[in-house]
Amino acid sequence: MNILDIIAKKRDKKELSKEEIEYFITGYTNGEIPDYQAAALVMAIYLNGMSMEETTNLTLAMAHSGDILDLSDLGIVVDKHSTGGVGDKITLILMPIMAALGVPVAKMSGRGLGFTGGTADKLESIPGYRTNISIEEFKNNVKEIGISLITQTGNLAPADKKLYALRDTISCTSSIPLISSSIMSKKIAAGANKIVLDVTCGDGAFMKTKEEAEELASVMKQIGTLAGKETVCIITPMQQPLGYSVGNTLEVIEAIEALKGNMQEDVKEVVLELGSHILKLAGKGESLQENKQKIENCIASNLAYEKFLTLVEKQGGDSSYCKDTNKFKKAKYEMNIISEQDGYLQEMKASFIGKAACLLGAGRIQKEDSIDMSAGIILHHKVGDMVKKGDIIATLYTNQESKLEEAKSIVEEAIKI
Ligand code: URA
Protein backbone atom coordinates (compact mmCIF):
# COMPACT_ATOMS: atom_id res chain seq x y z
CA MET A 1 0.00 0.00 0.00
CA ASN A 2 1.22 3.53 -0.63
CA ILE A 3 -0.17 7.02 -0.21
CA LEU A 4 0.10 7.93 -3.91
CA ASP A 5 -2.33 5.15 -4.87
CA ILE A 6 -4.70 6.17 -2.08
CA ILE A 7 -4.71 9.82 -3.22
CA ALA A 8 -5.25 8.76 -6.85
CA LYS A 9 -8.12 6.46 -5.87
CA LYS A 10 -10.02 9.22 -4.07
CA ARG A 11 -9.14 11.73 -6.80
CA ASP A 12 -10.82 9.31 -9.24
CA LYS A 13 -13.97 9.13 -7.06
CA LYS A 14 -13.38 5.56 -5.90
CA GLU A 15 -14.14 4.22 -2.43
CA LEU A 16 -11.27 3.73 0.02
CA SER A 17 -11.02 0.52 2.03
CA LYS A 18 -10.77 0.39 5.82
CA GLU A 19 -7.10 -0.63 5.51
CA GLU A 20 -6.29 2.30 3.19
CA ILE A 21 -7.95 4.78 5.56
CA GLU A 22 -6.09 3.32 8.55
CA TYR A 23 -2.82 3.44 6.59
CA PHE A 24 -3.33 7.14 5.90
CA ILE A 25 -4.35 8.05 9.47
CA THR A 26 -1.50 6.11 11.07
CA GLY A 27 1.08 7.47 8.61
CA TYR A 28 -0.11 11.06 8.93
CA THR A 29 -0.31 10.95 12.74
CA ASN A 30 3.23 9.60 13.12
CA GLY A 31 4.67 12.00 10.57
CA GLU A 32 5.52 9.49 7.83
CA ILE A 33 3.00 11.06 5.46
CA PRO A 34 3.81 14.75 4.92
CA ASP A 35 1.32 17.61 5.02
CA TYR A 36 1.33 18.10 1.24
CA GLN A 37 0.18 14.55 0.56
CA ALA A 38 -2.37 14.68 3.37
CA ALA A 39 -3.60 17.99 1.92
CA ALA A 40 -4.06 16.38 -1.50
CA LEU A 41 -6.07 13.52 -0.04
CA VAL A 42 -8.15 15.84 2.16
CA MET A 43 -8.94 18.00 -0.87
CA ALA A 44 -9.96 14.89 -2.84
CA ILE A 45 -12.26 13.86 0.04
CA TYR A 46 -13.65 17.40 0.18
CA LEU A 47 -14.41 17.38 -3.55
CA ASN A 48 -15.56 13.79 -4.02
CA GLY A 49 -17.07 12.95 -0.63
CA MET A 50 -17.11 9.64 1.20
CA SER A 51 -19.61 6.84 1.62
CA MET A 52 -21.08 6.19 5.06
CA GLU A 53 -18.76 3.22 5.45
CA GLU A 54 -15.69 5.26 4.57
CA THR A 55 -16.72 8.06 6.95
CA THR A 56 -17.24 5.59 9.79
CA ASN A 57 -13.87 3.96 9.12
CA LEU A 58 -12.21 7.37 9.02
CA THR A 59 -13.84 8.30 12.34
CA LEU A 60 -12.78 5.10 14.08
CA ALA A 61 -9.22 5.31 12.71
CA MET A 62 -8.98 8.91 14.02
CA ALA A 63 -10.50 8.00 17.38
CA HIS A 64 -7.96 5.19 17.80
CA SER A 65 -5.00 7.30 16.66
CA GLY A 66 -4.38 8.05 20.36
CA ASP A 67 -5.74 7.15 23.78
CA ILE A 68 -9.37 6.36 24.51
CA LEU A 69 -10.44 7.80 27.84
CA ASP A 70 -12.15 5.47 30.27
CA LEU A 71 -14.85 7.37 32.18
CA SER A 72 -16.79 4.27 33.23
CA ASP A 73 -16.25 5.04 36.93
CA LEU A 74 -18.13 8.35 36.57
CA GLY A 75 -21.56 6.90 35.68
CA ILE A 76 -23.52 7.90 32.58
CA VAL A 77 -21.51 10.74 31.08
CA VAL A 78 -23.33 12.68 28.38
CA ASP A 79 -21.07 14.75 26.15
CA LYS A 80 -22.13 17.78 24.15
CA HIS A 81 -20.52 19.30 21.08
CA SER A 82 -21.39 22.14 18.77
CA THR A 83 -20.38 22.21 15.14
CA GLY A 84 -19.31 25.82 15.70
CA GLY A 85 -20.68 29.28 15.47
CA VAL A 86 -20.40 32.93 16.42
CA GLY A 87 -21.20 33.96 19.99
CA ASP A 88 -21.77 30.34 20.95
CA LYS A 89 -21.38 30.30 24.73
CA ILE A 90 -23.84 27.45 25.28
CA THR A 91 -21.35 25.07 26.94
CA LEU A 92 -20.49 27.66 29.61
CA ILE A 93 -24.16 27.99 30.53
CA LEU A 94 -25.54 24.53 29.87
CA MET A 95 -22.93 22.32 31.49
CA PRO A 96 -23.07 23.89 35.00
CA ILE A 97 -26.86 23.54 34.80
CA MET A 98 -26.52 19.86 33.90
CA ALA A 99 -24.04 19.31 36.74
CA ALA A 100 -26.36 21.09 39.17
CA LEU A 101 -29.10 18.68 38.08
CA GLY A 102 -26.91 15.66 38.83
CA VAL A 103 -25.52 14.77 35.39
CA PRO A 104 -21.76 14.12 35.57
CA VAL A 105 -20.07 16.63 33.25
CA ALA A 106 -16.59 15.65 32.00
CA LYS A 107 -16.14 17.82 28.95
CA MET A 108 -13.20 18.67 26.79
CA SER A 109 -13.56 21.68 24.53
CA GLY A 110 -11.59 23.04 21.64
CA ARG A 111 -9.96 26.37 20.95
CA GLY A 112 -11.35 28.83 18.46
CA LEU A 113 -10.03 28.97 14.96
CA GLY A 114 -11.10 31.41 12.28
CA PHE A 115 -14.23 33.26 13.30
CA THR A 116 -15.67 30.48 15.47
CA GLY A 117 -14.89 30.77 19.17
CA GLY A 118 -13.64 27.98 21.42
CA THR A 119 -14.87 27.26 24.94
CA ALA A 120 -11.33 26.59 26.22
CA ASP A 121 -10.24 30.13 25.25
CA LYS A 122 -13.34 31.64 26.83
CA LEU A 123 -12.71 29.86 30.12
CA GLU A 124 -9.12 31.10 30.14
CA SER A 125 -10.38 34.67 30.17
CA ILE A 126 -11.20 34.05 33.85
CA PRO A 127 -7.89 34.85 35.60
CA GLY A 128 -6.24 31.70 36.95
CA TYR A 129 -8.63 29.19 35.34
CA ARG A 130 -6.59 26.14 34.30
CA THR A 131 -7.94 24.34 31.23
CA ASN A 132 -4.99 21.97 30.85
CA ILE A 133 -5.12 19.89 34.00
CA SER A 134 -4.18 16.21 34.00
CA ILE A 135 -6.73 13.55 33.14
CA GLU A 136 -6.52 12.36 36.75
CA GLU A 137 -7.40 15.80 38.14
CA PHE A 138 -10.13 16.12 35.49
CA LYS A 139 -11.78 12.90 36.63
CA ASN A 140 -11.31 13.75 40.31
CA ASN A 141 -13.03 17.09 39.84
CA VAL A 142 -16.00 15.36 38.25
CA LYS A 143 -16.15 12.95 41.19
CA GLU A 144 -15.86 15.75 43.76
CA ILE A 145 -17.98 18.57 42.34
CA GLY A 146 -19.78 16.89 39.41
CA ILE A 147 -18.13 18.91 36.66
CA SER A 148 -14.87 19.65 34.91
CA LEU A 149 -14.42 21.70 31.74
CA ILE A 150 -10.97 21.53 30.18
CA THR A 151 -9.21 21.72 26.84
CA GLN A 152 -8.36 18.65 24.79
CA THR A 153 -5.51 17.31 26.88
CA GLY A 154 -3.62 14.09 26.63
CA ASN A 155 -3.14 12.14 23.51
CA LEU A 156 -6.78 12.11 22.41
CA ALA A 157 -7.51 11.82 18.68
CA PRO A 158 -4.12 13.31 17.65
CA ALA A 159 -5.03 12.62 14.02
CA ASP A 160 -7.89 15.11 14.34
CA LYS A 161 -5.60 17.76 15.82
CA LYS A 162 -3.36 17.54 12.75
CA LEU A 163 -6.15 17.19 10.21
CA TYR A 164 -8.25 19.98 11.69
CA ALA A 165 -5.34 22.41 11.54
CA LEU A 166 -4.48 21.28 8.01
CA ARG A 167 -8.08 21.64 6.77
CA ASP A 168 -8.17 25.17 8.06
CA THR A 169 -5.13 26.15 6.01
CA ILE A 170 -6.41 24.67 2.73
CA SER A 171 -10.07 25.80 2.84
CA CYS A 172 -11.41 22.33 3.52
CA THR A 173 -13.39 22.89 6.69
CA SER A 174 -17.00 22.58 5.57
CA SER A 175 -17.18 19.02 4.37
CA ILE A 176 -19.65 16.54 5.87
CA PRO A 177 -17.31 13.50 6.09
CA LEU A 178 -14.48 15.66 7.45
CA ILE A 179 -16.58 17.49 10.06
CA SER A 180 -18.44 14.39 11.19
CA SER A 181 -15.27 12.29 11.55
CA SER A 182 -13.51 15.17 13.34
CA ILE A 183 -16.27 15.61 15.90
CA MET A 184 -17.21 11.98 16.40
CA SER A 185 -13.59 10.77 16.70
CA LYS A 186 -13.07 13.24 19.56
CA LYS A 187 -16.32 12.26 21.24
CA ILE A 188 -15.49 8.55 21.01
CA ALA A 189 -11.95 9.15 22.31
CA ALA A 190 -13.23 11.35 25.16
CA GLY A 191 -15.10 8.39 26.62
CA ALA A 192 -18.71 9.66 26.85
CA ASN A 193 -21.49 7.09 26.84
CA LYS A 194 -24.02 9.33 25.11
CA ILE A 195 -23.69 12.35 22.89
CA VAL A 196 -25.81 15.43 22.19
CA LEU A 197 -24.74 17.38 19.12
CA ASP A 198 -25.68 20.95 18.37
CA VAL A 199 -25.58 21.15 14.58
CA THR A 200 -25.51 24.83 13.77
CA CYS A 201 -27.03 26.02 10.52
CA GLY A 202 -26.84 29.33 8.69
CA ASP A 203 -24.46 32.04 7.64
CA GLY A 204 -22.16 31.72 10.69
CA ALA A 205 -22.00 27.91 10.60
CA PHE A 206 -20.19 25.39 8.40
CA MET A 207 -23.56 24.12 7.20
CA LYS A 208 -25.33 26.96 5.42
CA THR A 209 -28.66 25.28 4.64
CA LYS A 210 -31.12 23.15 6.60
CA GLU A 211 -30.62 20.30 4.10
CA GLU A 212 -26.84 20.28 4.66
CA ALA A 213 -27.32 20.45 8.44
CA GLU A 214 -29.77 17.54 8.30
CA GLU A 215 -27.32 15.49 6.29
CA LEU A 216 -24.46 16.22 8.72
CA ALA A 217 -26.74 15.36 11.65
CA SER A 218 -27.79 12.11 10.04
CA VAL A 219 -24.19 11.05 9.31
CA MET A 220 -23.05 11.82 12.88
CA LYS A 221 -26.02 10.00 14.36
CA GLN A 222 -25.24 6.92 12.26
CA ILE A 223 -21.58 6.99 13.32
CA GLY A 224 -22.66 7.31 16.97
CA THR A 225 -24.98 4.34 16.64
CA LEU A 226 -22.27 2.24 14.95
CA ALA A 227 -19.86 3.15 17.76
CA GLY A 228 -22.42 2.11 20.39
CA LYS A 229 -23.01 5.68 21.63
CA GLU A 230 -26.59 6.92 21.66
CA THR A 231 -26.47 10.21 19.76
CA VAL A 232 -29.03 13.00 19.50
CA CYS A 233 -28.58 15.89 17.06
CA ILE A 234 -30.39 19.20 17.40
CA ILE A 235 -30.24 21.65 14.50
CA THR A 236 -30.01 25.23 15.75
CA PRO A 237 -29.95 28.51 13.81
CA MET A 238 -26.69 30.40 13.32
CA GLN A 239 -27.82 33.08 10.88
CA GLN A 240 -27.15 35.90 13.36
CA PRO A 241 -24.74 35.52 16.30
CA LEU A 242 -26.08 33.69 19.34
CA GLY A 243 -26.92 35.98 22.25
CA TYR A 244 -25.64 39.53 22.48
CA SER A 245 -21.87 39.19 22.80
CA VAL A 246 -19.03 37.88 20.65
CA GLY A 247 -15.52 37.64 22.11
CA ASN A 248 -14.00 35.73 25.02
CA THR A 249 -14.44 37.86 28.15
CA LEU A 250 -17.63 39.40 26.78
CA GLU A 251 -19.14 35.94 26.27
CA VAL A 252 -18.09 34.77 29.73
CA ILE A 253 -19.85 37.80 31.20
CA GLU A 254 -22.96 37.00 29.16
CA ALA A 255 -22.81 33.38 30.33
CA ILE A 256 -22.57 34.46 33.99
CA GLU A 257 -25.53 36.79 33.51
CA ALA A 258 -27.47 33.91 31.91
CA LEU A 259 -26.69 31.65 34.87
CA LYS A 260 -28.01 34.39 37.13
CA GLY A 261 -31.27 34.27 35.19
CA ASN A 262 -30.76 37.02 32.61
CA MET A 263 -30.68 34.90 29.48
CA GLN A 264 -31.24 36.10 25.90
CA GLU A 265 -34.21 34.35 24.30
CA ASP A 266 -32.23 32.70 21.49
CA VAL A 267 -29.63 31.39 23.96
CA LYS A 268 -32.36 30.11 26.24
CA GLU A 269 -34.04 28.21 23.43
CA VAL A 270 -30.83 26.33 22.64
CA VAL A 271 -30.03 25.71 26.33
CA LEU A 272 -33.50 24.28 26.98
CA GLU A 273 -33.54 22.18 23.85
CA LEU A 274 -30.10 20.61 24.29
CA GLY A 275 -30.42 20.38 28.07
CA SER A 276 -33.76 18.58 27.97
CA HIS A 277 -32.22 15.93 25.71
CA ILE A 278 -29.11 15.57 27.89
CA LEU A 279 -31.32 14.99 30.95
CA LYS A 280 -33.31 12.39 29.03
CA LEU A 281 -30.19 10.55 27.86
CA ALA A 282 -28.77 10.65 31.40
CA GLY A 283 -31.91 8.99 32.74
CA LYS A 284 -33.04 12.10 34.61
CA GLY A 285 -36.47 12.39 33.02
CA GLU A 286 -38.31 11.08 29.97
CA SER A 287 -40.44 14.15 29.30
CA LEU A 288 -38.59 16.88 27.41
CA GLN A 289 -41.16 19.44 28.56
CA GLU A 290 -40.66 18.56 32.22
CA ASN A 291 -36.90 18.56 31.73
CA LYS A 292 -37.10 22.11 30.38
CA GLN A 293 -38.98 23.12 33.50
CA LYS A 294 -36.29 21.51 35.68
CA ILE A 295 -33.68 23.60 33.89
CA GLU A 296 -35.67 26.80 34.41
CA ASN A 297 -36.09 25.95 38.12
CA CYS A 298 -32.40 25.17 38.46
CA ILE A 299 -31.45 28.59 37.11
CA ALA A 300 -34.09 30.38 39.20
CA SER A 301 -32.79 28.70 42.37
CA ASN A 302 -29.24 29.95 41.66
CA LEU A 303 -27.91 26.38 41.81
CA ALA A 304 -26.46 26.53 38.30
CA TYR A 305 -24.67 29.82 39.00
CA GLU A 306 -23.25 28.41 42.24
CA LYS A 307 -22.07 25.31 40.40
CA PHE A 308 -20.27 27.54 37.90
CA LEU A 309 -18.50 29.38 40.76
CA THR A 310 -17.50 26.04 42.30
CA LEU A 311 -16.14 24.91 38.93
CA VAL A 312 -14.13 28.10 38.48
CA GLU A 313 -12.62 27.84 41.98
CA LYS A 314 -11.85 24.14 41.61
CA GLN A 315 -9.92 24.81 38.42
CA GLY A 316 -7.86 27.59 39.97
CA GLY A 317 -9.88 30.53 38.66
CA ASP A 318 -10.56 33.72 40.60
CA SER A 319 -14.32 33.57 41.15
CA SER A 320 -14.43 37.18 42.39
CA TYR A 321 -14.42 38.14 38.68
CA CYS A 322 -17.60 36.13 38.20
CA LYS A 323 -19.23 37.64 41.27
CA ASP A 324 -18.35 41.13 40.07
CA THR A 325 -17.91 41.10 36.30
CA ASN A 326 -16.80 44.77 36.36
CA LYS A 327 -13.45 43.40 37.51
CA PHE A 328 -12.73 41.91 34.06
CA LYS A 329 -10.18 43.96 32.15
CA LYS A 330 -11.86 46.14 29.55
CA ALA A 331 -10.53 46.86 26.10
CA LYS A 332 -8.88 50.26 25.70
CA TYR A 333 -10.86 51.36 22.67
CA GLU A 334 -14.51 51.13 21.78
CA MET A 335 -16.66 52.34 18.93
CA ASN A 336 -20.42 52.37 18.45
CA ILE A 337 -22.18 51.37 15.25
CA ILE A 338 -25.12 53.72 14.88
CA SER A 339 -28.29 53.23 12.87
CA GLU A 340 -28.63 55.82 10.14
CA GLN A 341 -32.35 55.24 9.68
CA ASP A 342 -35.57 54.13 11.32
CA GLY A 343 -36.69 50.61 10.55
CA TYR A 344 -36.42 46.96 11.52
CA LEU A 345 -33.21 45.04 11.87
CA GLN A 346 -33.65 42.59 9.03
CA GLU A 347 -30.28 40.85 8.95
CA MET A 348 -27.10 40.58 11.01
CA LYS A 349 -24.83 38.13 9.23
CA ALA A 350 -23.03 36.03 11.81
CA SER A 351 -20.02 35.35 9.59
CA PHE A 352 -19.33 39.08 9.17
CA ILE A 353 -19.74 39.75 12.89
CA GLY A 354 -17.38 36.84 13.57
CA LYS A 355 -14.81 38.20 11.09
CA ALA A 356 -15.01 41.67 12.60
CA ALA A 357 -14.58 40.27 16.14
CA CYS A 358 -11.56 38.30 14.92
CA LEU A 359 -10.04 41.42 13.39
CA LEU A 360 -10.52 43.28 16.67
CA GLY A 361 -8.38 40.56 18.30
CA ALA A 362 -10.98 38.13 19.65
CA GLY A 363 -10.00 35.21 17.41
CA ARG A 364 -7.10 33.54 15.70
CA ILE A 365 -6.24 33.80 12.03
CA GLN A 366 -3.34 31.34 12.44
CA LYS A 367 -3.33 28.50 14.98
CA GLU A 368 -0.39 30.05 16.85
CA ASP A 369 -1.94 33.53 17.17
CA SER A 370 -2.64 34.83 20.65
CA ILE A 371 -6.04 36.13 21.58
CA ASP A 372 -7.03 39.49 23.04
CA MET A 373 -9.50 38.32 25.70
CA SER A 374 -11.21 41.69 26.08
CA ALA A 375 -11.76 42.27 22.34
CA GLY A 376 -15.11 41.63 20.70
CA ILE A 377 -18.52 43.01 19.91
CA ILE A 378 -21.64 43.64 21.96
CA LEU A 379 -24.87 43.63 19.98
CA HIS A 380 -27.57 45.94 21.28
CA HIS A 381 -30.23 44.68 18.89
CA LYS A 382 -31.25 41.36 17.40
CA VAL A 383 -32.93 40.57 14.08
CA GLY A 384 -36.57 41.63 14.18
CA ASP A 385 -36.01 44.57 16.54
CA MET A 386 -37.34 48.01 15.66
CA VAL A 387 -34.56 50.59 15.59
CA LYS A 388 -34.53 54.34 15.31
CA LYS A 389 -32.07 56.63 13.55
CA GLY A 390 -29.25 57.27 16.06
CA ASP A 391 -29.72 54.01 18.02
CA ILE A 392 -26.60 52.07 18.87
CA ILE A 393 -26.76 48.72 17.05
CA ALA A 394 -23.43 47.32 18.23
CA THR A 395 -20.30 48.33 20.14
CA LEU A 396 -16.83 47.23 19.09
CA TYR A 397 -14.08 46.62 21.69
CA THR A 398 -10.36 46.31 21.00
CA ASN A 399 -6.89 47.16 22.21
CA GLN A 400 -5.76 47.93 18.66
CA GLU A 401 -7.20 51.29 17.69
CA SER A 402 -6.06 50.84 14.09
CA LYS A 403 -8.50 47.95 13.61
CA LEU A 404 -11.64 49.88 14.50
CA GLU A 405 -12.46 51.45 11.11
CA GLU A 406 -12.10 48.21 9.14
CA ALA A 407 -14.10 46.24 11.73
CA LYS A 408 -16.78 48.95 11.63
CA SER A 409 -17.22 48.61 7.88
CA ILE A 410 -17.43 44.80 8.15
CA VAL A 411 -20.16 45.11 10.81
CA GLU A 412 -22.00 47.68 8.71
CA GLU A 413 -21.94 45.23 5.83
CA ALA A 414 -23.40 42.52 8.10
CA ILE A 415 -26.37 44.62 9.06
CA LYS A 416 -29.46 45.35 7.02
CA ILE A 417 -32.12 47.73 8.34
N1 URA B 1 -15.88 21.12 15.16
C1 URA B 1 -14.96 20.14 15.15
O1 URA B 1 -14.54 19.65 16.19
N2 URA B 1 -14.50 19.70 13.96
C2 URA B 1 -14.93 20.20 12.81
O2 URA B 1 -14.49 19.76 11.78
C3 URA B 1 -15.89 21.23 12.82
C4 URA B 1 -16.36 21.68 14.02
Side-chain angles (χ1 to χ4, degrees), residues 67-100:
D67 303 331
I68 303 274
L69 212 59
D70 179 8
L71 299 180
S72 54
D73 49 335
L74 300 179
I76 300 179
V77 175
V78 184
D79 206 348
K80 172 258 168 194
H81 196 96
S82 155
T83 57
V86 179
D88 184 348
K89 68 280 296 174
I90 297 296
T91 295
L92 296 174
I93 304 167
L94 178 61
M95 296 329 250
I97 301 174
M98 293 298 103

Side-chain angles (χ1 to χ4, degrees), residues 215-235:
E215 196 187 335
L216 177 63
S218 154
V219 170
M220 291 198 288
K221 200 167 156 54
Q222 287 179 68
I223 297 172
T225 307
L226 288 167
K229 315 247 177 212
E230 196 177 345
T231 303
V232 172
C233 296
I234 314 287
I235 296 174

Side-chain angles (χ1 to χ4, degrees), residues 8-65:
K9 207 169 165 188
K10 193 37 75 187
R11 180 200 63 202
D12 297 338
K13 300 188 172 66
K14 298 202 178 97
E15 205 167 320
L16 300 179
S17 69
K18 183 170 181 281
E19 290 71 30
E20 286 164 333
I21 290 170
E22 284 171 354
Y23 176 87
F24 162 61
I25 289 299
T26 309
Y28 186 48
T29 308
N30 66 23
E32 277 163 24
I33 295 173
D35 271 343
Y36 56 85
Q37 286 181 317
L41 181 57
V42 166
M43 182 60 84
I45 294 171
Y46 183 92
L47 294 173
N48 296 328
M50 276 186 144
S51 68
M52 195 58 227
E53 194 175 339
E54 284 177 297
T55 306
T56 306
N57 286 331
L58 179 62
T59 307
L60 294 177
M62 284 163 69
H64 289 94
S65 63

Side-chain angles (χ1 to χ4, degrees), residues 202-342:
D203 175 71
F206 290 123
M207 299 295 103
K208 306 291 180 207
T209 65
K210 189 162 163 265
E211 290 68 33
E212 285 172 345
E214 279 170 351
E215 196 187 335
L216 177 63
S218 154
V219 170
M220 291 198 288
K221 200 167 156 54
Q222 287 179 68
I223 297 172
T225 307
L226 288 167
K229 315 247 177 212
E230 196 177 345
T231 303
V232 172
C233 296
I234 314 287
I235 296 174
T236 64
M238 188 48 74
Q239 196 59 26
Q240 62 176 330
L242 198 54
Y244 63 79
S245 59
V246 180
N248 298 278
T249 301
L250 299 175
E251 288 187 45
V252 166
I253 294 172
E254 182 178 353
I256 293 167
E257 278 304 313
L259 287 166
K260 286 180 179 167
N262 309 314
M263 208 181 311
Q264 277 278 326
E265 272 315 304
D266 57 346
V267 173
K268 190 170 184 176
E269 215 179 321
V270 179
V271 165
L272 292 179
E273 204 57 44
L274 296 180
S276 59
H277 281 278
I278 294 180
L279 291 176
K280 186 172 176 189
L281 287 180
K284 301 280 179 194
E286 274 301 301
S287 156
L288 294 177
Q289 209 42 49
E290 282 173 26
N291 289 348
K292 288 182 186 174
Q293 195 52 53
K294 286 180 204 159
I295 294 171
E296 301 241 34
N297 296 345
C298 178
I299 298 165
S301 65
N302 244 10
L303 287 175
Y305 170 63
E306 278 160 19
K307 185 60 82 177
F308 183 75
L309 294 182
T310 310
L311 164 73
V312 169
E313 284 160 12
K314 189 81 185 159
Q315 306 235 174
D318 183 348
S319 64
S320 69
Y321 282 76
C322 307
K323 292 174 191 156
D324 174 11
T325 53
N326 287 319
K327 277 184 83 173
F328 279 105
K329 201 162 167 243
K330 296 202 175 47
K332 261 201 256 167
Y333 305 101
E334 57 181 87
M335 179 184 267
N336 288 328
I337 310 289
I338 310 279
S339 174
E340 286 174 359
Q341 68 200 90
D342 293 346

